[in-house]
Amino acid sequence: MNTQTVLFSSNDFVSPSNLLATTTAFFGGEIDLDPASSESANSVVEAQRYFDWKANGLKQDWKAKTVYLYPPRDLLNGSEQPEDKRLFRKKLRFRKSAQRVWLEKCYDQWIHNQFEQAIIFLTSSEVALLVTQKIEFDFPLCILAEHPKLLKETTLEPVSSRVFGFVYYLPPVNNADEAVRNFYNSYSNLGRVYT
């Protein structure tokens, strides 16, 4: 297969297989829910359940034990964002990075105990490093050592990327210290882990 280098466009991508293998093993062999997926992407992720664009995971409750999230990179208009809640306070909802909106949704679902633990894969440096500070999103982080080897969603062919990869972990409330140690041990083979 030919690999091509791209800067992201409106095409969607699927997570790198080495990250998915690590995540599946970390979750004990199974990902319960992928809330931002498609039939094609889930053939690689192999989550027990997923929400595609029609089901729109931004409008769903994410009841699950484990969640794996790789948000799309588009921009979302205010009307496409979730209704105002604690994390969506502003009456005027300006266009935001979809990765930011999905990150906020995931955080909201975790706070409301909709799932036990989550792995979030981001490719937006701005969201991963700046937005997380604005919303006080202070969780364990793995910065991938290499540019992620993404798959093109339509063909599942590998695509070389120039983006960086960031993996955040939302641990279970019970036994969080041990879970964070396990995250460190599992993901340090992919990059540098900060806890």
Side-chain angles (χ1 to χ4, degrees), residues 165-195:
F166 305 89
V167 181
Y168 274 99
Y169 177 47
L170 276 63
V173 175
N174 298 329
N175 219 3
D177 290 341
E178 182 181 346
V180 170
R181 278 194 301 277
N182 290 340
F183 174 76
Y184 179 87
N185 292 334
S186 296
Y187 287 82
S188 58
N189 67 325
L190 298 178
R192 181 166 288 186
V193 177
Y194 300 90
T195 58

Side-chain angles (χ1 to χ4, degrees), residues 43-108:
S43 71
V44 178
V45 177
E46 297 183 338
Q48 296 301 303
R49 291 185 310 121
Y50 67 93
F51 299 133
D52 61 14
W53 66 272
K54 290 178 190 172
N56 191 353
L58 289 173
K59 296 183 178 182
Q60 306 288 338
D61 283 332
W62 298 1
K63 294 188 185 300
K65 183 177 179 185
T66 60
V67 168
Y68 175 77
L69 173 63
Y70 175 29
R73 294 148 328 282
D74 296 332
L75 290 174
L76 296 180
N77 293 320
S79 62
E80 298 171 300
Q81 298 171 30
E83 293 299 318
D84 289 346
K85 290 187 179 176
R86 193 182 78 78
L87 293 171
F88 302 96
R89 289 182 275 250
K90 295 185 178 178
K91 296 199 191 267
L92 176 61
R93 286 180 278 162
F94 54 91
R95 285 184 77 178
K96 288 185 188 175
S97 158
Q99 289 207 347
R100 175 182 179 165
V101 173
W102 282 92
L103 175 74
E104 290 175 339
K105 171 71 174 184
C106 189
Y107 186 34
D108 179 68

Side-chain angles (χ1 to χ4, degrees), residues 2-9 11-19 70 73 99 121-125 144-152 157-166:
N2 289 338
T3 61
Q4 58 193 72
T5 301
V6 297
L7 293 173
F8 286 132
S9 66
N11 293 327
D12 232 339
F13 294 88
V14 179
S15 301
S17 55
N18 62 338
L19 174 59
Y70 175 29
R73 294 148 328 282
Q99 289 207 347
F121 174 52
L122 300 172
T123 53
S124 167
S125 299
L144 299 183
E146 298 178 358
H147 295 292
K149 305 266 191 270
L150 303 174
L151 303 175
K152 196 169 187 178
E157 291 179 17
V159 178
S160 297
S161 69
R162 293 185 184 146
V163 297
F164 294 99
F166 305 89

